[in-house]
Amino acid sequence: MSASAAKVSKKELNSNHDGADETSEKEQQEAIEHIDEVQNEIDRLNEQASEEILKVEQKYNKLRQPFFQKRSELIAKIPNFWVTTFVNHPQVSALLGEEDEEALHYLSRVEVTEFEDIKSGYRIDFYFDENPYFENKVLSKEFHLNESGDPSSKSTEIKWKSGKDLTKRSSQTQNKAGRKRQHEEPESFFTWFTDHADAGADELGEVIKDDIWPNPLQYYLVPDMDDEEGDGEEDEEDEEGLEDIDEEGDEDGEDDDDDDGEDGEDDEGEDD
């Protein structure tokens, strides 16, 4: 092949390659446009599904209400049901100080109410018997999500009785005891009612609504680990006691054998 022929062939190849690139880029652009159209259809179906799911949730939320009411009536027959439930829950118990537990012994009922459209928020109501800590019969905290999607919360102002404000007492205790004490003793559970800094990430509210409220009985029935450990210690003590008795019995048996041997020797001496 001549040099001029080789040059022509090379030019043709380059020309064909450029044409292939142009075709490929065009096909890619068309594919991207089609993907965008398909994605819009997927998004439309997702929005439609969300609306349908919301309707189903609203329907079954209404159907559950009579059962929640019946459950509350039955729970009212069990003393200290709610304080036991909270103490047994790993996340909630971490927020409870000793005085919080004392105050929660007066908690007689808890209710979680989702707003009618569900998406806009919910409210948690805590019903208390007469107690030495505050005047309120009901403490509530509400969580709202406005149309723009911004979260907010509001709650009942606690009317503390003189010298019984657990939120101030907790702060004073921590200040006196220093940093180490702050790690050991949590802030009062009741500071939650005044904390509206980050309503969109309120872990306690979410735990009560989504974990405890659907089935509080599972946490009420959690076995007391202290009792189990106590039973284990008693069993170990019983076993040790039995071992001691066995050892004493063996020693007594050996002593009796020795005595019998000595008696036998004495009898032989007398015969001689």
Side-chain angles (χ1 to χ4, degrees):
M1 182 182 293
S2 65
S4 59
K7 290 180 181 179
V8 170
S9 299
K10 192 173 182 179
K11 287 180 179 179
E12 289 176 353
L13 287 172
N14 289 337
S15 177
N16 292 336
H17 182 70
D18 292 341
D21 286 345
E22 290 177 2
T23 302
S24 178
E25 290 178 3
K26 184 178 180 182
E27 289 177 350
Q28 289 179 20
Q29 186 59 38
E30 289 178 353
I32 289 172
E33 292 174 358
H34 288 310
I35 291 171
D36 187 51
E37 291 174 1
V38 173
Q39 189 61 52
N40 289 336
E41 288 298 316
I42 293 172
D43 292 342
R44 184 182 63 79
L45 287 173
N46 287 341
E47 291 178 6
Q48 184 178 342
S50 297
E51 293 174 0
E52 295 295 327
I53 291 170
L54 181 58
K55 290 177 182 178
V56 172
E57 288 180 347
Q58 289 173 330
K59 173 185 175 182
Y60 282 93
N61 194 39
K62 290 180 180 179
L63 292 175
R64 283 192 289 262
Q65 295 311 308
F67 295 97
F68 285 147
Q69 181 62 34
K70 179 64 175 178
R71 188 181 69 183
S72 292
E73 293 171 1
L74 294 170
I75 286 175
K77 298 178 180 180
I78 304 175
N80 300 323
F81 179 91
W82 285 108
V83 66
T84 302
T85 298
F86 286 163
V87 168
N88 285 345
H89 192 284
Q91 288 172 271
V92 178
S93 63
L95 305 174
L96 299 176
E98 290 184 9
E99 289 184 303
D100 292 328
E101 288 186 33
E102 289 297 323
L104 289 174
H105 274 83
Y106 297 92
L107 178 62
S108 59
R109 183 157 56 104
V110 174
E111 298 285 348
V112 175
T113 304
E114 293 188 90
F115 299 148
E116 190 170 352
D117 62 356
I118 297 179
K119 293 191 297 182
S120 66
Y122 61 96
R123 184 181 71 252
I124 305 176
D125 297 313
F126 300 80
Y127 294 81
F128 287 86
D129 294 331
E130 180 69 30
N131 65 81
Y133 295 94
F134 44 79
E135 302 289 348
N136 310 70
K137 300 297 182 186
V138 183
L139 297 180
S140 302
K141 189 167 184 178
E142 295 184 8
F143 298 87
H144 296 268
L145 200 65
N146 60 26
E147 293 180 358
S148 61
D150 296 326
S152 63
S153 64
K154 63 180 182 178
S155 59
T156 307
E157 180 183 353
I158 303 177
K159 299 177 180 178
W160 295 101
K161 293 182 178 179
S162 179
K164 294 294 185 178
D165 189 339
L166 299 182
T167 60
K168 290 182 179 179
R169 190 176 303 178
S170 174
S171 176
Q172 291 171 356
T173 302
Q174 291 180 2
N175 288 337
K176 289 179 181 178
R179 289 186 177 180
K180 186 176 181 181
R181 178 63 174 169
Q182 287 182 8
H183 291 292
E184 295 175 355
E185 184 71 18
E187 282 188 336
S188 172
F189 168 84
F190 293 92
T191 60
W192 176 67
F193 289 94
T194 59
D195 182 7
H196 305 290
D198 193 0
D202 193 300
E203 292 185 10
L204 180 55
E206 293 294 326
V207 164
I208 294 173
K209 179 176 76 76
D210 296 330
D211 192 16
I212 295 177
W213 176 246
N215 184 9
L217 187 62
Q218 64 178 324
Y219 292 106
Y220 175 78
L221 295 176
V222 169
D224 191 325
M225 298 306 294
D226 292 337
D227 290 346
E228 287 191 351
E229 290 174 1
D231 292 341
E233 291 173 0
E234 289 177 4
D235 291 341
E236 290 177 3
E237 290 175 359
D238 291 342
E239 290 176 2
E240 291 175 358
L242 290 172
E243 290 176 359
D244 292 340
I245 292 172
D246 291 339
E247 290 175 359
E248 289 175 1
D250 293 340
E251 291 174 358
D252 291 341
E254 291 175 0
D255 291 342
D256 290 342
D257 292 340
D258 292 342
D259 291 343
D260 291 343
E262 291 175 1
D263 291 344
E265 291 175 2
D266 291 343
D267 291 341
E268 288 177 2
E270 290 175 0
D271 291 341
D272 291 340

